Amino acid sequence: MQDHVSDGCRCADVLMGRISSRECPLFGRTCTPDNPQGACMVSQEGSCFNHFQEGVPF
């Protein structure tokens, strides 16, 4: 697991409701549960993690 947020990660915007998980340019591409790029994908409680597990299209 990384100790920093990757360039392009929009987790803060997802958490604030400014964008949906699938609007993040890393979601499902470089950011996956096996390779999380931000806090939203790291935890099973994270919004991106849950959208990814549910198969939300991007």
Side-chain angles (χ1 to χ4, degrees):
M1 185 169 77
Q2 297 184 26
D3 61 353
H4 68 280
V5 175
S6 295
D7 290 340
C9 178
R10 306 251 337 251
C11 185
D13 291 326
V14 172
L15 291 173
M16 289 188 252
R18 292 181 181 154
I19 65 170
S20 68
S21 297
R22 70 178 181 267
E23 290 177 286
C24 177
L26 304 183
F27 178 76
R29 294 170 180 86
T30 58
C31 186
T32 65
D34 292 331
N35 187 39
Q37 302 298 305
C40 295
M41 191 66 87
V42 171
S43 158
Q44 290 183 352
E45 290 83 26
S47 56
C48 291
F49 180 93
N50 286 301
H51 279 106
F52 188 89
Q53 295 297 89
E54 293 171 7
V56 174
F58 39 108

